[in-house]
Amino acid sequence: MTPGDKLLGRLLGRSSPLPFDATPPAFNGLQLQLDAQGHVLSITGTLRTQLAQHLLPDATPPLHSLLRANCALSIEGQPSDWQRHGLDLDFQGIAGQTLHTRGWIEPDGEHWTLRLLDVSDLLAGRQLAQHREQNHQLACQMSEQLRVCTLSRLPEVLNEHLASVAQRWRIPCIALALLDDGDQGWRIYGQYAAHDAPALWQTAQRLGTSLDSVNGNAPLSLDIARGHNDNPRLHSVFGNADGFLVPYRDGQGVAAWLLCGFYNSQSQTSERDWLNLTAALAAPLLSRLREQRHHQQLERVEALQGLLGTGWWELLPATQEIQLAPQLLRSLSLDDGPTRQPLDLWLELIHPADRQELGSRLHDLQALGKPLLTSVRLQRSDTEHPIWYRVQGQVLGVGDNRRWIGFMLDISDIKNQQLHAAAAHARLDNLIASSPAVIYVQRYVNGALQPVFFSDSLLPLLGWTLAECDGAALALLIHPEDRELYFDRTRQLLREGTVRSRYRVRDKQGHYHWLLDEAKLLRDDLGLPVEAVGLWLDVTEATLAAEQVKQSEERYRILVEDSPAMICRYRPDLTLTFGNTPLANYLECLPAQLPGVNLGEWLSTEQRHAFVQRIGQLTPEFPVSTAEISLQLPGREHAWWVWSDRGVFDDSGALVEVQAVGRDNTEVRRSQQQLTQSAKMATLGEMATGLAHEINQPLNVMRMAIVNVLKRLSNGDAQIDYLTEKLQRIDAQVQRAAKVVDHMRVFGRRSEIEQQPFDPAQAVEGTLSLLSEGLRGKGVEVRLTPADFSVKVIGYADQLEQVLINLMVNARDALLSQREKNPGLNPWIAVHTEHDSRHVRIWVEDNGGGIDPRLLERIFEPFFTTKPIGVGTGLGLSVSYGIVENMGGRLSVSNGEHGARFCVELPIITA
Ligand code: ADP
């Protein structure tokens, strides 16, 4: 029933119950009696009580004084003017309300009766309709504006709308909450608060999930003051303010809430209107936001495609075309072409090597729906840096809605890296396969290590495959003698994490290889063993070579030990580091006692000095030196060793060690000495005649003196002076004879054991003391140039004397035999000494005619003589040569102007 129907019913009196008694019922409305001027005379009717003013007795107020001001204007003139007009009059009601009435006026005698009915309902209905119309218009307007505004103005436009809603409904705080993008509950998208209202919300404020618990089917009024809030979670949204929430639902459920704070909807606006209004705001807003998100998504995807050098494509089989994303067109350098390209033209871009395959896969995609995934090169790529694309495609939809969509992605970087890596890998594999090393992996299974991988080099090395070296089989391939070693290696590997060992493994031919095994254990995060990785290196050759070296060292050691020669090694300070058995035997100790003994202890100071000096002259270029050394062993005879040293040098050329081989030369030395001695004796014997003369001479002088003295004594003419003079002469002669005899004794002695420094002039003098008288007696002149210097040579003075005696005796013999042929010859022997910085030279020259040049070379040979048998021995020069050489010097001969010229050259020693 519409309010209009109700009014009509009331007017027709249908709504009132039928009268059962005669008393006329009170007029169901307002009945005013007016006078002709429009003054109110009486008020009756049921509505009378609702009027603000009541008639005072005798008061007749004008009608308009009872009316609302705006309404009072609508009645002008007098009641008679109001006849036959519908009158709408608004009275001032109680409590400031308005009583809306409609009615008519009737004459009532001289007065007028105004009958009015309550039309508040009717008016309210109309107002409501008007209000709804306005609401609807506002909603449409807002919706439209939200739909057409630019995306950037969207929040601003929404806020404007919120403001107008707030103003229209007098809502102090209003906000629109949307579901957050990131699924984090609700968030205030826009809000408005009247300037005098406290701001309940901020734009972008998070509300969490508090709104999820609200029934989203109808608006909800929160009457906090009266405790009508059964949802405590909304406290967090509204605090203690009254609130009103209106949901907006879309296909997925509640998508937005309109929140009104400090507001409790008592208005005429129906729930449906609120829902519509909220929808008018939220629906276009959400759709615009979706549009915005979509747009951004698209932009991102496009940017990404550009960055990645990728892009989508779609096959259009109907036209044999392919549609490509603009980015893809650009990266394929087709940027000026349309996005649709003939399929063939697109395939032309692919390198011929990949084109056919791609074509066939595209066909499979279309015909069989088989997903496409392949990598292709571009035709235009150069050989060094090919451009690779990954092409992937799939079927979308079914039946007639099927689409063939995919993408192309530039994978040149990855692909080229892959190719490089593969090449490097292949090279590495090749290297490993061709090396004598095998890389293996052994998996840890229940405390044991099981081979699970061998590098390809296993086959060429041992001839086995992984299957043949599996599990326990490997242990059997290991040499029985080395198995324990292998098990030890595994235990150590598990215990310590790394191991290095060496054992023999049998190859397929049955030969054993020495393998150097280096392994490392890999553990997981918990420290438990996972697998062992290791390397086998074939060290057979090295091991055998080491074995051979060991054997040869052993042989060498035996050789050294068994050698009759004395072999030793010593440091430059002469400390022995090794000495063999013969050396130890010689020194009467054990070989083990030799290291640490100093060689110098067995040498005299001079010998040691000379020895160290000689060793000091060894160089890497001339590392060998040989010498005869003489040793003084405590309590033993002098020993002579021929000693050969070889220096061992380090990289910088410094002497590190000396290896020496020695031979006992004492016997040889002794026989040499004996030979020298015999020669000496022979010389002495030979000189006997001369010596007899040498001694006879003083004896004769003494005899003459004695005879003369005796004669004078018998004459009694013995003066003291005379006697003294004679006795002094005798004394001088005795001294002279004694000197000769002394010297002969000295000369006849054996030489000293060790060479001594001496002045060679000493030997010259000794020689002349023995020979000069004899020579003079034979008429041979001795021409001596006395040396005006003093130098030292090392050796034996008596032996040098022996040499000089030999030379002079030979000269004498040559002179005497020459004089036999030539009696007019004045024979002479000249002895002359000279020196330079390093040598002293003693020249012995005669005028005996020299030596036959053909014999010159041979005269130093032992037993070479030109003298008659029994006269010459042929040993004189040979022994002399040996003596001079032994002193480090040289004996040489040449023919001079008058005869032979012998030269004894000896090195001078410095202090
Ligand atoms: P021997 O004197 O017993 O013959 P030597 O070895 O002393 O032995 O001398 C060898 C030879 O050299 C002599 O036989 C002699 O022929 C020759 N000879 C040595 N000295 C001279 C010299 N001064 N003049 C000529 N011949 C010499």
Side-chain angles (χ1 to χ4, degrees):
M1 190 190 283
T2 66
D5 294 340
K6 271 200 218 157
L7 180 70
L8 194 66
R10 254 180 264 160
L11 288 175
L12 294 174
R14 273 183 210 149
S15 62
S16 58
L18 285 171
F20 290 107
D21 52 30
T23 321
F27 180 67
N28 195 14
L30 202 60
Q31 191 168 292
L32 291 98
Q33 195 171 41
L34 306 176
D35 65 9
Q37 279 71 43
H39 289 101
V40 180
L41 301 174
S42 69
I43 304 175
T44 56
T46 52
L47 289 178
R48 186 168 59 101
T49 52
Q50 292 186 23
L51 288 179
Q53 287 182 15
H54 297 287
L55 278 186
L56 298 169
D58 303 329
T60 52
L63 175 63
H64 61 80
S65 68
L66 302 177
L67 297 176
R68 289 262 171 225
N70 54 350
C71 173
L73 294 173
S74 63
I75 46 164
E76 282 174 354
Q78 297 181 344
S80 53
D81 305 330
W82 307 340
Q83 285 189 87
R84 290 175 295 279
H85 284 288
L87 295 174
D88 282 350
L89 298 179
D90 293 346
F91 288 87
Q92 297 172 25
I94 46 170
Q97 289 189 342
T98 303
L99 186 65
H100 298 283
T101 62
R102 178 175 287 181
W104 63 95
I105 195 154
E106 290 169 349
D108 179 13
E110 64 198 61
H111 298 139
W112 296 84
T113 301
L114 189 57
R115 289 175 196 274
L116 296 163
L117 294 169
D118 183 358
V119 292
S120 293
D121 286 358
L122 190 68
L123 280 181
R126 192 185 300 157
Q127 253 175 18
L128 199 70
Q130 231 170 30
H131 189 77
R132 291 185 76 174
E133 181 58 29
Q134 283 169 358
N135 287 352
H136 182 67
Q137 264 176 16
L138 180 70
C140 289
Q141 229 171 41
M142 292 195 300
S143 194
E144 183 60 18
Q145 281 177 15
L146 284 171
R147 245 187 277 283
V148 298
C149 74
T150 60
L151 281 169
S152 58
R153 277 204 71 225
L154 202 57
E156 201 182 318
V157 171
L158 179 82
N159 280 358
E160 280 166 18
H161 293 341
L162 287 176
S164 48
V165 170
Q167 275 152 17
R168 185 171 158 79
W169 277 273
R170 299 209 173 76
I171 305 170
C173 289
I174 188 163
L176 189 74
L178 300 181
L179 267 177
D180 200 35
D181 274 352
D183 215 15
Q184 311 216 327
W186 297 91
R187 186 200 275 268
I188 301 291
Y189 180 79
Q191 55 88 28
Y192 168 82
H195 67 276
D196 51 353
L200 270 180
W201 305 294
Q202 308 292 325
T203 303
Q205 180 187 337
R206 287 173 193 281
L207 302 178
T209 54
S210 45
L211 290 167
D212 288 348
S213 53
V214 183
N215 170 21
N217 288 324
L220 173 72
S221 219
L222 302 176
D223 197 345
I224 303 287
R226 286 177 224 150
H228 290 172
N229 176 16
D230 53 354
N231 196 332
R233 297 184 66 189
L234 288 177
H235 262 292
S236 62
V237 180
F238 286 92
N240 282 326
D242 286 351
F244 182 62
L245 297 88
V246 190
Y248 165 70
R249 296 180 70 91
D250 64 7
Q252 269 91 50
V254 182
W257 285 98
L258 185 69
L259 308 176
C260 307
F262 300 105
Y263 182 74
N264 203 335
S265 171
Q266 304 284 323
S267 70
Q268 301 143 317
T269 313
S270 69
E271 285 191 354
R272 228 182 75 210
D273 285 350
W274 277 115
L275 289 172
N276 285 342
L277 188 75
T278 307
L281 285 173
L285 178 68
L286 286 171
S287 118
R288 289 304 299 275
L289 289 177
R290 260 197 301 279
E291 177 196 338
Q292 190 178 28
R293 266 201 299 279
H294 182 67
H295 191 73
Q296 286 171 346
Q297 195 80 11
L298 216 65
E299 274 179 352
R300 270 185 231 128
V301 170
E302 275 180 16
L304 198 69
Q305 288 185 16
L307 286 174
L308 284 177
T310 182
W312 53 263
W313 51 259
E314 178 164 1
L315 278 185
L316 308 167
T319 52
Q320 278 298 302
E321 279 181 323
I322 187 164
Q323 189 168 7
L324 301 167
Q327 294 87 354
L328 195 56
L329 278 175
R330 271 198 292 280
S331 30
L332 294 175
S333 309
L334 289 172
D335 32 358
D336 44 354
T339 59
R340 284 166 175 241
Q341 297 276 341
L343 192 58
D344 288 345
L345 200 75
W346 179 64
L347 281 171
E348 284 289 300
L349 297 175
I350 310 299
H351 195 277
D354 303 324
R355 196 181 298 153
Q356 217 178 0
E357 186 185 344
L358 180 63
S360 126
R361 282 171 182 258
L362 280 174
H363 182 263
D364 285 354
L365 174 71
Q366 288 173 61
L368 312 170
K370 199 167 143 190
L372 166 69
L373 174 59
T374 183
S375 300
V376 295
R377 269 158 295 184
L378 288 197
Q379 166 82 305
R380 67 186 152 85
S381 43
D382 59 67
T383 43
E384 205 185 334
H385 301 290
I387 301 173
W388 282 92
Y389 270 92
R390 177 194 176 103
V391 184
Q392 203 165 343
Q394 63 182 39
V395 185
L396 281 187
V398 284
D400 290 345
N401 292 329
R402 266 189 306 171
R403 293 169 72 189
W404 296 269
I405 294 177
F407 72 87
M408 280 176 84
L409 173 66
D410 187 344
I411 51 161
S412 306
D413 286 354
I414 305 169
K415 196 77 187 179
N416 288 334
Q417 265 172 23
Q418 261 176 10
L419 289 177
H420 280 137
H425 204 257
R427 279 198 294 274
L428 200 67
D429 274 351
N430 202 13
L431 207 67
I432 293 171
S434 59
S435 79
V438 175
I439 293 169
Y440 65 78
V441 178
Q442 297 182 329
R443 174 133 324 131
Y444 176 83
V445 186
N446 298 330
L449 291 172
Q450 309 272 2
V452 288
F453 168 79
F454 285 104
S455 62
D456 292 346
S457 41
L458 179 70
L459 198 67
L461 185 72
L462 295 178
W464 302 115
T465 61
L466 172 62
E468 289 165 317
C469 294
D470 209 4
L474 179 61
L476 294 176
L477 295 180
I478 291 166
H479 196 286
E481 287 171 18
D482 297 346
R483 259 173 225 161
E484 198 45 50
L485 227 112
Y486 178 72
F487 297 135
D488 269 351
R489 160 252 179 223
T490 305
R491 280 193 288 271
Q492 192 188 341
L493 179 58
L494 291 176
R495 197 172 55 241
E496 292 169 19
T498 59
V499 74
R500 189 187 157 99
S501 62
R502 188 192 285 251
Y503 45 81
R504 279 162 289 178
V505 176
R506 183 156 49 85
D507 68 12
K508 204 153 194 171
Q509 273 83 49
H511 301 130
Y512 279 100
H513 293 247
W514 275 102
L515 297 184
L516 179 70
D517 180 2
E518 282 202 25
K520 200 169 157 51
L521 188 69
L522 305 182
R523 296 174 185 275
D524 65 9
D525 296 347
L526 301 173
L528 297 174
V530 178
E531 59 185 22
V533 285
L535 189 82
W536 272 348
L537 204 63
D538 189 347
V539 290
T540 311
E541 274 175 33
T543 309
L544 293 181
E547 193 74 12
Q548 272 168 7
V549 167
K550 215 167 116 185
Q551 282 171 9
S552 94
E553 267 177 2
E554 180 63 18
R555 280 198 293 271
Y556 171 72
R557 195 186 62 75
I558 292 170
L559 199 71
V560 167
E561 280 303 314
D562 294 357
S563 154
M566 294 173 285
I567 297 174
C568 69
R569 294 201 306 266
Y570 58 90
R571 285 201 286 269
D573 65 356
L574 308 189
T575 314
L576 281 178
T577 52
F578 164 81
N580 67 350
T581 313
L583 183 66
N585 290 345
Y586 201 96
L587 300 170
E588 297 174 343
C589 66
L590 292 172
Q593 293 170 320
L594 286 175
V597 172
N598 196 296
L599 272 181
E601 289 170 18
W602 312 326
L603 301 172
S604 67
T605 315
E606 293 79 29
Q607 278 277 326
R608 187 164 59 240
H609 182 74
F611 193 95
V612 170
Q613 204 175 23
R614 193 171 54 81
I615 296 302
Q617 283 164 357
L618 297 179
T619 60
E621 290 77 32
F622 302 102
V624 181
S625 152
T626 304
E628 193 176 34
I629 59 172
S630 92
L631 289 93
Q632 296 170 326
L633 296 167
R636 314 252 312 257
E637 273 189 358
H638 250 80
W640 292 94
W641 289 355
V642 174
W643 193 251
S644 192
D645 295 289
R646 168 178 274 275
V648 178
F649 299 88
D650 67 10
D651 292 346
S652 58
L655 183 67
V656 181
E657 195 187 57
V658 182
Q659 298 176 342
V661 181
R663 171 170 57 79
D664 186 7
N665 205 34
T666 314
E667 285 306 313
V668 176
R669 222 340 137 91
R670 268 196 206 127
S671 14
Q672 245 176 21
Q673 272 177 348
Q674 270 164 11
L675 188 66
T676 316
Q677 191 62 22
S678 326
K680 210 192 251 175
M681 288 303 149
T683 308
L684 269 180
E686 211 171 286
M687 286 191 329
T689 345
L691 283 169
H693 181 81
E694 205 68 29
I695 292 165
N696 260 341
Q697 192 67 19
L699 287 178
N700 280 333
V701 174
M702 280 189 288
R703 218 174 118 228
M704 284 299 295
I706 291 165
V707 168
N708 286 338
V709 169
L710 286 174
K711 200 187 272 176
R712 284 280 184 106
L713 281 175
S714 63
N715 291 342
D717 185 18
Q719 301 290 322
I720 291 294
D721 288 353
Y722 178 79
L723 284 178
T724 309
E725 193 248 297
K726 286 297 172 201
L727 284 173
Q728 278 173 347
R729 179 175 291 181
I730 292 166
D731 186 41
Q733 293 306 312
V734 169
Q735 278 182 25
R736 183 177 152 197
K739 200 176 157 196
V740 170
V741 172
D742 265 0
H743 192 79
M744 270 175 60
R745 239 193 355 244
V746 171
F747 182 71
R749 270 212 305 262
R750 280 175 176 273
S751 298
E752 292 280 331
I753 296 297
E754 273 192 46
Q755 298 187 330
Q756 302 286 341
F758 67 94
D759 189 343
Q762 207 186 313
V764 173
E765 201 184 308
T767 308
L768 291 178
S769 75
L770 287 178
L771 294 183
S772 49
E773 276 306 318
L775 288 172
R776 216 170 301 140
K778 291 246 159 52
V780 177
E781 183 192 352
V782 176
R783 294 181 180 172
L784 173 69
T785 320
D788 56 352
F789 54 84
S790 171
V791 290
K792 287 270 163 69
V793 295
I794 192 155
Y796 310 96
D798 61 318
Q799 289 186 4
L800 178 59
E801 212 170 284
Q802 191 183 344
V803 170
L804 294 176
I805 291 171
N806 276 329
L807 296 181
M808 289 182 79
V809 167
N810 278 345
R812 182 201 66 196
D813 290 348
L815 286 168
L816 294 183
S817 78
Q818 189 68 14
R819 201 173 48 186
E820 271 177 20
K821 293 177 213 158
N822 175 13
L825 179 75
N826 282 326
W828 52 259
I829 301 174
V831 179
H832 164 71
T833 313
E834 62 169 35
H835 80 103
D836 59 22
S837 59
R838 295 171 65 193
H839 293 100
V840 60
R841 279 176 286 273
I842 306 167
W843 295 93
V844 179
E845 187 176 0
D846 61 63
N847 63 339
I851 305 158
D852 185 340
R854 288 167 301 178
L855 304 179
L856 259 183
E857 282 176 13
R858 297 193 55 201
I859 57 165
F860 292 111
E861 285 174 14
F863 309 113
F864 176 82
T865 180
T866 56
K867 295 171 188 169
I869 299 168
V871 178
T873 58
L875 280 175
L877 284 180
S878 142
V879 168
S880 299
Y881 191 91
I883 289 170
V884 174
E885 197 177 47
N886 198 30
M887 286 171 72
R890 212 160 66 92
L891 177 60
S892 58
V893 65
S894 60
N895 279 323
E897 205 181 323
H898 312 285
R901 288 182 87 206
F902 283 86
C903 177
V904 179
E905 187 183 61
L906 294 169
I908 296 172
I909 56 155
T910 49

